[in-house]
């Protein structure tokens, strides 16, 4: 019994150690990737983001008269159709069809010849191979769609993830500083009609924090003065549905991707990012985090329904 | 170049990593890709868990079978029994090619094991013969005596093996009639196939395209139906011929002509589908198509939103077509297009529309997913019972090439299925029947028979040796089969259900009956099809179908006049008069023997048989007109059609073949013995109702098992001599 316990405990430890190793490998790999990709992709997003934001504003202006949930539904459905058509033309439909046929054939072989263990194993092997082939054929459309989908999702994110600060509502502004920014650093939040600064700036942990309260409704540009050098950050106060930029980030391509509504911060300055902790949109359909799921379900359902019409196999 | 590839790979890897990493992206990569990833993962997990379940359940299954006393294979003398059916392989031709050394594989099989002529059935027709094969019974017990039978109510011909009717109840919603329940499809063949008996003892069978297995019956195994599976229109195969030509016939046997108009090099027409049962008075469903004729004799076909190129003289692959019934209901079929000509007249041939095996409109397999499995595994394939369009060639729409293509394609599809079954089934029964041998001999016999009326002037034709090439191809198929059956535990039999002979002259038995006072026509009744011209009030006997003659019996037929007490005497009288009937013009005997069915068959269904079964002599058969109940004014008709070979003659003239990789001691094996033989080889007791007896087949070491277990040996004729000639 003791031997079994020993085996179980040490086995579990070994698995955990292995998992930790894999995780750290991934972190290292992605960290290294960022170092390589930031200089390449950051200028790209600097160009793309204003264009996408303009398109996003136009689309949401068209959807504006509709209730938010309906607008999201229409947008999700349209995205489903566009993605479906794109998938059809970008993917190798013949090869996908063949791989899918192989998958189904081998699944049926498992059912038909269930008493033949040899056939069961053979079918499983072939099934695995067909699955891998299908993944390989799906990779091309995935890669082609990846960028437009991410840009689109980012545009939706800045509208559905957070809501504007209500007048009088409290929140925090966090300014992350560069490691070589020098210590202490003086930053002044200039007075603005949209905000009442209650506390701050409070330094700590490589960042400065302000506690603020929402002021006059509207779209305001907060100005942060660092020794004569002024950095702006947009603040939205109001009660209606509108675009909200939760952060203005530096030349970090992933940050730029998901916070596309404002220009990137200069890379050589002392400030890495300025974040406003907006409250999440409160809705089970189009609210924070739920909108992704809703979008996912609607676009999937539309794609599935229209698949025969567009003669797409996936 | 290398740098670009490296850069591309790096970007791909980077994007892929991004996909795996980022906040939103990890959840969503577009509907198509998302589904693809989702379904493949689902498939993978399904496979994993079903595999796991199979491993864990296998001992449990084995245990339960053991408890029920059906421990499969425990008493078996073989692990696997394989029967390769070559429909209609003629022994004289096979022996000729063997002697010439042209069939090395069959020669090897004969040398290693055995070769014997195989007794067929009366009549030697495929539906009868294969029914006898699979039930081990004479036709009196399985109820199949011909392709056709007649309705006792109205004398109209009907399929003998299956009855198909729509669902009996329906809901009426506006213009729609929604059927409640499934169509009523009944197998009219009686008796239990021997693979069902094997299944009851836990032995798995894989049965491919054995005739008269539609609709498929439930059993332990997988089965794909064959002969009598209808096309999508419910017929036994209706081809379509589209032409701009104004003159010519509108109707052909087994096909129809559709006149089309060409405007600005574009032809618009439609495929004709099944009747629309969903809409009231809906008529046949249609699938529109458009053909754009190019300058170089090629054309573009647009159908169902797909575009296909047509090339003169070349078949398209199987094309999926959909017929919309309404309410979102679609019926799916498959067909092939063959562009015959674009100028001076447009001509297009379309095969009968087969049931799509991927999504079958009617059950063509057991379990129902087996046909889908084959479709997914091998691609689309012919499902129609008589897949090769003999009528198209007979009508002169198809040429020899066009017809041969269909035969070769069907055989290729079949071989893939068969080899797949052989690969999958290592313990149990595998049966597969190839029809190409039958169809090609039917249509090309004129080339090897100089006396045939259709032979003249055709000796230079490209396909004059089509039959010889066919036998060689079949030998190669046997070779490939032998490669998969070369273990000690597999018994391989290569069989044919009957042989073949020439069909030079047709006999109109209705004319003979009229001449001899047994049949009376209405004043304008001559040449009317389906017995419409017969005066039933003065008719004692009539001919319909290929097998024989029916009496018009009181209380049985709707307008019967023959007293049932006198019927047997009339049968004997007709048999006596017809036996030895001569063709004076050719100075030869036309009918070898006529059989009183009620005395020849035994079993509960013998009364359903034609009363007289005709055993025609070599070169003769029921005329085309007699087969469809169309009385003419002549007894003998030269057969000038491409359908020039036949086997519906005296069974002693057309035995089948039996090759086996083991020695067989039985001198005169019959087709009906093969099912019982398979049962005996698997150690399963042969049911008492079966008429066949197990053949004495040697074990792998060449020794024969002890007698006393019902095996038929050389000396044991047990009444067979008396009956062997008629296969009953």
């Amino acid at each position: 019994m003791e031997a079994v316990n020993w085996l179980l405990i040490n086995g579990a430890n070994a698995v955990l150690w292995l998992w930790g190793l894999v995780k750290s490998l991934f972190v290292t790999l992605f960290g290294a990737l960022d170092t390589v990709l930031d200089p390449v992709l950051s200028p790209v997003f600097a160009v793309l983001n204003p264009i996408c934001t303009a398109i996003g504003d136009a689309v949401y202006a068209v959807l504006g008269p509709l209730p938010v949930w309906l607008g999201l539904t229409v947008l999700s459905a349209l995205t489903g159709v566009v993605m479906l058509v794109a998938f059809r033309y970008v993917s190798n439909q013949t090869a996908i069809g063949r791989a899918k046929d192989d998958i189904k054939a081998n699944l049926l072989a498992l059912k038909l010849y269930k008493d033949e263990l040899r056939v069961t194993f053979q079918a499983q092997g072939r099934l695995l191979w067909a699955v891998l082939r299908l993944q390989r054929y799906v990779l091309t459309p995935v890669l082609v769609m990846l960028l437009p989908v991410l840009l689109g999702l980012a545009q939706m994110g800045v509208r559905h993830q957070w809501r504007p600060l209500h007048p009088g509502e409290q929140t925090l502004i966090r300014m992350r500083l560069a490691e070589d920014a020098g210590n202490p650093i003086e930053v002044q939040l200039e007075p603005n009609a949209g905000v009442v600064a209650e506390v701050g700036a409070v330094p700590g942990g490589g960042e400065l924090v302000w506690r603020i309260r929402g002021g006059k409704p509207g779209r305001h540009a907060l100005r942060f003065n660092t020794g004569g050098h002024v950095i702006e950050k947009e603040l939205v106060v109001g009660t209606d549905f509108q675009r909200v930029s939760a952060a203005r980030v530096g030349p970090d391509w992933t940050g730029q991707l998901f916070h596309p509504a404002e220009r990137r911060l200069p890379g050589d300055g002392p400030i890495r990012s300025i974040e406003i902790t907006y409250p999440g949109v409160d809705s089970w359909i189009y609210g924070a985090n739920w909108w992704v799921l809703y979008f996912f379900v609607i676009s999937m359902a539309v794609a599935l329904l229209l698949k025969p019409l567009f003669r797409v196999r996936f | 170049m290398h740098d670009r590839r490296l850069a591309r790979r790096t970007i791909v890897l980077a994007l892929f990593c991004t996909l795996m990493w980022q906040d939103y992206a990890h959840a969503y990569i577009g509907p198509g890709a998302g589904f693809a990833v989702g379904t493949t993962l689902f498939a993978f997990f399904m496979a994993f868990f079903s595999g796991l379940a199979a491993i864990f359940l296998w001992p449990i299954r084995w245990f339960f079978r053991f408890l029920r006393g059906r421990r499969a294979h425990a008493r078996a003398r073989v692990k696997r029994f394989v029967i390769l059916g070559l429909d209609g392989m003629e022994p004289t031709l096979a022996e000729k090619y063997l002697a010439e050394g042209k069939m090395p594989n069959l020669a090897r099989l004969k040398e290693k094991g055995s070769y014997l002529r195989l007794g067929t059935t009366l009549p030697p027709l495929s539906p009868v013969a294969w029914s006898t094969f699979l039930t081990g019974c004479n036709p009196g017990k399985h109820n199949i005596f011909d392709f056709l039978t007649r309705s006792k109510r109205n004398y109209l011909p009907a399929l003998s093996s299956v009855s198909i009717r729509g669902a009996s109840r329906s809901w009426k919603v506006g213009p729609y009639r929604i059927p409640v329940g499934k169509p009523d499809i009944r197998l009219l063949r009686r008796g239990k196939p021997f693979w069902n008996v094997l299944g009851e003892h836990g032995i798995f069978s894989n049965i491919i395209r054995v005739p008269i297995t539609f609709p498929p019956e439930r059993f332990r195994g997988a089965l794909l139906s064959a002969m009598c599976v209808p096309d999508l229109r419910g017929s036994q195969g209706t081809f379509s011929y589209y032409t701009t030509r104004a003159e010519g016939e509108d109707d052909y046997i087994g096909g129809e002509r559709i006149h089309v108009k060409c405007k600005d090099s574009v032809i618009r027409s439609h495929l004709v589908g099944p009747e629309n049962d969903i809409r009231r008075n809906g008529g046949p469903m249609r699938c529109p198509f458009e053909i754009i004729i190019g300058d170089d004799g090629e054309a573009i076909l647009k159908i169902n939103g797909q575009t296909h190129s047509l090339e003169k003289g070349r078949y398209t692959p199987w094309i999926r077509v959909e017929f919309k019934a309404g309410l979102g209901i679609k019926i799916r079929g498959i067909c092939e297009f063959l562009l015959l000509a674009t100028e001076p007249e447009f001509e297009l041939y379309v095969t009968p529309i087969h049931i799509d095996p991927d999504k079958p409109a009617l059950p063509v397999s057991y379990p129902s997913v087996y046909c889908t499995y084959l479709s997914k595994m091998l691609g689309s394939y012919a499902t129609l019972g008589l897949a090769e369009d003999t009528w198209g060639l007979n009508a002169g729409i198809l040429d020899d090439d066009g017809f041969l293509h269909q035969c070769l394609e069907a055989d290729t599809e079949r071989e893939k299925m068969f080899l797949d079954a052989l690969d999958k089934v290592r313990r149990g029964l595998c049966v597969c029947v190839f029809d190409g041998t039958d169809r090609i001999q039917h249509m090309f016999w004129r080339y090897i028979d100089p006396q045939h009326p259709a032979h003249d002037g055709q000796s230079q034709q490209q396909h004059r040796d089509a039959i010889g090439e066919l036998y060689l191809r079949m030998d190669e198929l046997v070779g490939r089969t032998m490669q998969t059956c070369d273990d000690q535990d597999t018994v391989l039999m290569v069989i044919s259900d009957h042989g073949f002979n020439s069909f030079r002259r047709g006999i109109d038995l209705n004319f003979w009956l009229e001449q001899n006072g047994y049949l009376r026509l209405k004043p304008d009744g001559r040449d009317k099809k389906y017995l419409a011209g017969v005066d039933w009030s003065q008719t004692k006997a009539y001919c319909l179908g290929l097998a024989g003659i029916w009496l018009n019996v009181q209380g049985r037929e709707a307008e019967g006049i023959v007293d049932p007490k006198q019927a047997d005497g009339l049968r004997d009288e007709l048999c006596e008069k017809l036996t030895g009937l001569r063709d004076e013009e050719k100075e030869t005997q036309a009918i070898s023997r006529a059989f009183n069915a009620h005395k020849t068959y035994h079993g509960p269904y013998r009364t359903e048989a034609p009363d007289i079964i005709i055993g025609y002599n070599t070169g003769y058969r029921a005329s085309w007109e007699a087969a469809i109940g169309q009385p003419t004014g002549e007894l003998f008709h030269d057969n000038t059609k491409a359908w020039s070979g036949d086997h519906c003659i005296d069974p002693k003239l057309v035995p089948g073949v039996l090759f086996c990789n083991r020695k067989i001691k039985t001198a005169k094996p019959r087709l009906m013995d093969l099912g019982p033989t398979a049962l005996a080889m698997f150690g399963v007791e042969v049911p008492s109702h079966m008429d066949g007896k197990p053949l004495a087949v040697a074990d792998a070491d060449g020794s024969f098992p002890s007698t006393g277990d019902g095996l038929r040996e050389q000396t044991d004729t047990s009444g067979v001599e008396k009956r062997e000639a008629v296969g009953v």
Side-chain angles (χ1 to χ4, degrees), chain B residues 89 102 105 114 232 284 289 331 380 512 522 529 536 541 555 611-612 661 692 696 698 703 708:
Chain B
M89 181 176 256
K102 289 180 175 172
N105 296 302
S114 339
L232 213 59
F289 66 81
I331 313 288
S380 289
W512 184 89
K522 294 173 190 166
K529 292 175 184 173
W536 294 110
D611 295 274
I612 319 288
N661 64 350
S703 66

mmCIF file of all heavy atoms in Angstrom, chain B residues 89 102 105 114 232 284 289 331 380 512 522 529 536 541 555 611-612 661 692 696 698 703 708:
data_model
loop_
_atom_site.group_PDB
_atom_site.id
_atom_site.type_symbol
_atom_site.label_atom_id
_atom_site.label_comp_id
_atom_site.label_asym_id
_atom_site.label_seq_id
_atom_site.Cartn_x
_atom_site.Cartn_y
_atom_site.Cartn_z
ATOM 1 N N MET B 89 -20.806 -16.679 -65.381
ATOM 2 C CA MET B 89 -19.576 -17.206 -66.001
ATOM 3 C C MET B 89 -19.884 -18.571 -66.626
ATOM 4 O O MET B 89 -20.362 -19.477 -65.958
ATOM 5 C CB MET B 89 -18.438 -17.315 -64.992
ATOM 6 C CG MET B 89 -17.167 -17.835 -65.642
ATOM 7 S SD MET B 89 -15.769 -17.874 -64.514
ATOM 8 C CE MET B 89 -14.849 -16.469 -65.069
ATOM 9 N N LYS B 102 -4.998 -18.925 -70.610
ATOM 10 C CA LYS B 102 -5.247 -17.482 -70.508
ATOM 11 C C LYS B 102 -5.728 -17.059 -69.128
ATOM 12 O O LYS B 102 -5.846 -15.871 -68.869
ATOM 13 C CB LYS B 102 -6.285 -17.069 -71.554
ATOM 14 C CG LYS B 102 -5.764 -17.118 -72.971
ATOM 15 C CD LYS B 102 -6.843 -16.695 -73.950
ATOM 16 C CE LYS B 102 -6.281 -16.625 -75.364
ATOM 17 N NZ LYS B 102 -7.358 -16.406 -76.347
ATOM 18 N N ASN B 105 -4.765 -17.612 -62.912
ATOM 19 C CA ASN B 105 -5.178 -17.619 -61.505
ATOM 20 C C ASN B 105 -6.247 -18.672 -61.239
ATOM 21 O O ASN B 105 -6.178 -19.405 -60.252
ATOM 22 C CB ASN B 105 -5.666 -16.231 -61.104
ATOM 23 C CG ASN B 105 -4.535 -15.219 -61.178
ATOM 24 O OD1 ASN B 105 -3.513 -15.388 -60.530
ATOM 25 N ND2 ASN B 105 -4.699 -14.203 -62.003
ATOM 26 N N SER B 114 -10.145 -27.296 -56.535
ATOM 27 C CA SER B 114 -11.071 -28.015 -57.402
ATOM 28 C C SER B 114 -11.713 -27.075 -58.407
ATOM 29 O O SER B 114 -11.807 -25.872 -58.187
ATOM 30 C CB SER B 114 -12.221 -28.624 -56.597
ATOM 31 O OG SER B 114 -11.909 -28.771 -55.266
ATOM 32 N N LEU B 232 -33.949 6.283 -58.677
ATOM 33 C CA LEU B 232 -34.665 7.284 -57.884
ATOM 34 C C LEU B 232 -36.110 7.440 -58.333
ATOM 35 O O LEU B 232 -36.963 7.874 -57.563
ATOM 36 C CB LEU B 232 -33.929 8.630 -57.990
ATOM 37 C CG LEU B 232 -33.998 9.508 -56.758
ATOM 38 C CD1 LEU B 232 -33.423 8.808 -55.553
ATOM 39 C CD2 LEU B 232 -33.257 10.803 -56.995
ATOM 40 N N PRO B 284 -43.953 14.405 -61.307
ATOM 41 C CA PRO B 284 -42.531 14.081 -61.052
ATOM 42 C C PRO B 284 -41.714 15.324 -60.719
ATOM 43 O O PRO B 284 -41.960 16.391 -61.271
ATOM 44 C CB PRO B 284 -42.072 13.448 -62.368
ATOM 45 C CG PRO B 284 -43.104 13.734 -63.372
ATOM 46 C CD PRO B 284 -44.340 14.216 -62.707
ATOM 47 N N PHE B 289 -31.259 21.805 -65.500
ATOM 48 C CA PHE B 289 -29.837 21.958 -65.828
ATOM 49 C C PHE B 289 -29.693 22.769 -67.102
ATOM 50 O O PHE B 289 -30.666 22.959 -67.846
ATOM 51 C CB PHE B 289 -29.126 20.601 -65.947
ATOM 52 C CG PHE B 289 -29.574 19.745 -67.092
ATOM 53 C CD1 PHE B 289 -29.099 19.934 -68.373
ATOM 54 C CD2 PHE B 289 -30.469 18.705 -66.874
ATOM 55 C CE1 PHE B 289 -29.505 19.124 -69.420
ATOM 56 C CE2 PHE B 289 -30.895 17.893 -67.911
ATOM 57 C CZ PHE B 289 -30.413 18.092 -69.193
ATOM 58 N N ILE B 331 -34.569 15.157 -52.299
ATOM 59 C CA ILE B 331 -34.244 13.761 -52.578
ATOM 60 C C ILE B 331 -32.959 13.776 -53.387
ATOM 61 O O ILE B 331 -32.867 14.484 -54.385
ATOM 62 C CB ILE B 331 -35.349 13.079 -53.419
ATOM 63 C CG1 ILE B 331 -36.737 13.377 -52.855
ATOM 64 C CG2 ILE B 331 -35.097 11.592 -53.551
ATOM 65 C CD1 ILE B 331 -37.081 12.703 -51.597
ATOM 66 N N SER B 380 -18.595 7.983 -54.570
ATOM 67 C CA SER B 380 -19.918 7.563 -55.055
ATOM 68 C C SER B 380 -19.810 6.284 -55.866
ATOM 69 O O SER B 380 -18.777 6.029 -56.493
ATOM 70 C CB SER B 380 -20.522 8.656 -55.930
ATOM 71 O OG SER B 380 -20.900 9.742 -55.137
ATOM 72 N N TRP B 512 -48.184 -18.965 -79.889
ATOM 73 C CA TRP B 512 -48.353 -20.422 -79.893
ATOM 74 C C TRP B 512 -49.647 -20.793 -79.153
ATOM 75 O O TRP B 512 -50.422 -21.641 -79.631
ATOM 76 C CB TRP B 512 -47.152 -21.089 -79.214
ATOM 77 C CG TRP B 512 -47.210 -22.592 -79.261
ATOM 78 C CD1 TRP B 512 -46.714 -23.407 -80.233
ATOM 79 C CD2 TRP B 512 -47.820 -23.445 -78.283
ATOM 80 N NE1 TRP B 512 -46.967 -24.719 -79.940
ATOM 81 C CE2 TRP B 512 -47.652 -24.782 -78.742
ATOM 82 C CE3 TRP B 512 -48.484 -23.238 -77.092
ATOM 83 C CZ2 TRP B 512 -48.130 -25.880 -78.027
ATOM 84 C CZ3 TRP B 512 -48.962 -24.338 -76.389
ATOM 85 C CH2 TRP B 512 -48.788 -25.632 -76.849
ATOM 86 N N LYS B 522 -58.672 -10.036 -78.257
ATOM 87 C CA LYS B 522 -59.796 -9.176 -78.623
ATOM 88 C C LYS B 522 -59.628 -8.805 -80.104
ATOM 89 O O LYS B 522 -58.521 -8.909 -80.646
ATOM 90 C CB LYS B 522 -59.776 -7.901 -77.771
ATOM 91 C CG LYS B 522 -60.033 -8.145 -76.298
ATOM 92 C CD LYS B 522 -59.817 -6.843 -75.528
ATOM 93 C CE LYS B 522 -59.823 -7.100 -74.029
ATOM 94 N NZ LYS B 522 -59.300 -5.944 -73.271
ATOM 95 N N LYS B 529 -49.340 -4.264 -75.551
ATOM 96 C CA LYS B 529 -48.423 -4.694 -74.485
ATOM 97 C C LYS B 529 -49.177 -5.046 -73.212
ATOM 98 O O LYS B 529 -50.319 -4.638 -73.026
ATOM 99 C CB LYS B 529 -47.428 -3.569 -74.183
ATOM 100 C CG LYS B 529 -46.444 -3.299 -75.309
ATOM 101 C CD LYS B 529 -45.594 -2.094 -74.971
ATOM 102 C CE LYS B 529 -44.681 -1.755 -76.150
ATOM 103 N NZ LYS B 529 -43.956 -0.504 -75.930
ATOM 104 N N TRP B 536 -59.919 -12.321 -71.853
ATOM 105 C CA TRP B 536 -59.737 -13.230 -70.722
ATOM 106 C C TRP B 536 -60.888 -14.219 -70.592
ATOM 107 O O TRP B 536 -60.711 -15.302 -70.030
ATOM 108 C CB TRP B 536 -59.585 -12.430 -69.417
ATOM 109 C CG TRP B 536 -58.322 -11.616 -69.410
ATOM 110 C CD1 TRP B 536 -58.206 -10.275 -69.482
ATOM 111 C CD2 TRP B 536 -56.986 -12.133 -69.394
ATOM 112 N NE1 TRP B 536 -56.891 -9.887 -69.502
ATOM 113 C CE2 TRP B 536 -56.098 -11.023 -69.449
ATOM 114 C CE3 TRP B 536 -56.427 -13.417 -69.359
ATOM 115 C CZ2 TRP B 536 -54.721 -11.159 -69.458
ATOM 116 C CZ3 TRP B 536 -55.051 -13.553 -69.363
ATOM 117 C CH2 TRP B 536 -54.215 -12.440 -69.409
ATOM 118 N N ALA B 541 -54.565 -19.842 -70.994
ATOM 119 C CA ALA B 541 -53.141 -19.712 -70.604
ATOM 120 C C ALA B 541 -52.525 -18.523 -71.314
ATOM 121 O O ALA B 541 -52.963 -18.148 -72.409
ATOM 122 C CB ALA B 541 -52.389 -20.988 -70.968
ATOM 123 N N GLY B 555 -60.853 -18.317 -59.613
ATOM 124 C CA GLY B 555 -60.605 -18.123 -58.173
ATOM 125 C C GLY B 555 -59.194 -17.678 -57.860
ATOM 126 O O GLY B 555 -58.897 -17.279 -56.747
ATOM 127 N N ASP B 611 -47.190 -21.595 -64.100
ATOM 128 C CA ASP B 611 -47.623 -23.008 -64.075
ATOM 129 C C ASP B 611 -46.715 -23.908 -64.904
ATOM 130 O O ASP B 611 -46.466 -25.060 -64.543
ATOM 131 C CB ASP B 611 -49.069 -23.093 -64.575
ATOM 132 C CG ASP B 611 -50.014 -22.387 -63.619
ATOM 133 O OD1 ASP B 611 -50.465 -23.020 -62.643
ATOM 134 O OD2 ASP B 611 -50.250 -21.167 -63.804
ATOM 135 N N ILE B 612 -46.241 -23.365 -66.009
ATOM 136 C CA ILE B 612 -45.325 -24.144 -66.862
ATOM 137 C C ILE B 612 -44.012 -23.364 -66.952
ATOM 138 O O ILE B 612 -44.013 -22.173 -67.269
ATOM 139 C CB ILE B 612 -45.858 -24.265 -68.316
ATOM 140 C CG1 ILE B 612 -47.358 -24.523 -68.369
ATOM 141 C CG2 ILE B 612 -45.048 -25.275 -69.108
ATOM 142 C CD1 ILE B 612 -47.827 -25.847 -67.963
ATOM 143 N N ASN B 661 -10.433 -23.275 -53.462
ATOM 144 C CA ASN B 661 -9.022 -23.470 -53.114
ATOM 145 C C ASN B 661 -8.811 -24.721 -52.274
ATOM 146 O O ASN B 661 -7.715 -24.982 -51.805
ATOM 147 C CB ASN B 661 -8.454 -22.222 -52.419
ATOM 148 C CG ASN B 661 -9.123 -21.950 -51.081
ATOM 149 O OD1 ASN B 661 -10.135 -22.581 -50.746
ATOM 150 N ND2 ASN B 661 -8.585 -21.009 -50.319
ATOM 151 N N GLY B 692 -30.520 -27.781 -49.914
ATOM 152 C CA GLY B 692 -29.119 -28.038 -50.236
ATOM 153 C C GLY B 692 -28.436 -28.849 -49.158
ATOM 154 O O GLY B 692 -28.881 -28.894 -48.010
ATOM 155 N N ALA B 696 -18.682 -31.939 -49.691
ATOM 156 C CA ALA B 696 -17.539 -32.508 -48.965
ATOM 157 C C ALA B 696 -16.295 -31.713 -49.336
ATOM 158 O O ALA B 696 -15.698 -31.925 -50.393
ATOM 159 C CB ALA B 696 -17.376 -33.967 -49.324
ATOM 160 N N ALA B 698 -12.474 -30.416 -48.400
ATOM 161 C CA ALA B 698 -11.317 -30.873 -47.621
ATOM 162 C C ALA B 698 -10.866 -29.807 -46.627
ATOM 163 O O ALA B 698 -11.135 -28.614 -46.802
ATOM 164 C CB ALA B 698 -10.171 -31.198 -48.566
ATOM 165 N N SER B 703 -7.170 -33.374 -46.053
ATOM 166 C CA SER B 703 -7.986 -34.495 -45.572
ATOM 167 C C SER B 703 -9.458 -34.087 -45.501
ATOM 168 O O SER B 703 -9.782 -32.913 -45.319
ATOM 169 C CB SER B 703 -7.505 -34.931 -44.195
ATOM 170 O OG SER B 703 -7.746 -33.895 -43.272
ATOM 171 N N GLY B 708 -21.101 -38.704 -42.294
ATOM 172 C CA GLY B 708 -22.089 -38.858 -41.218
ATOM 173 C C GLY B 708 -22.567 -37.519 -40.720
ATOM 174 O O GLY B 708 -23.451 -37.434 -39.888
#
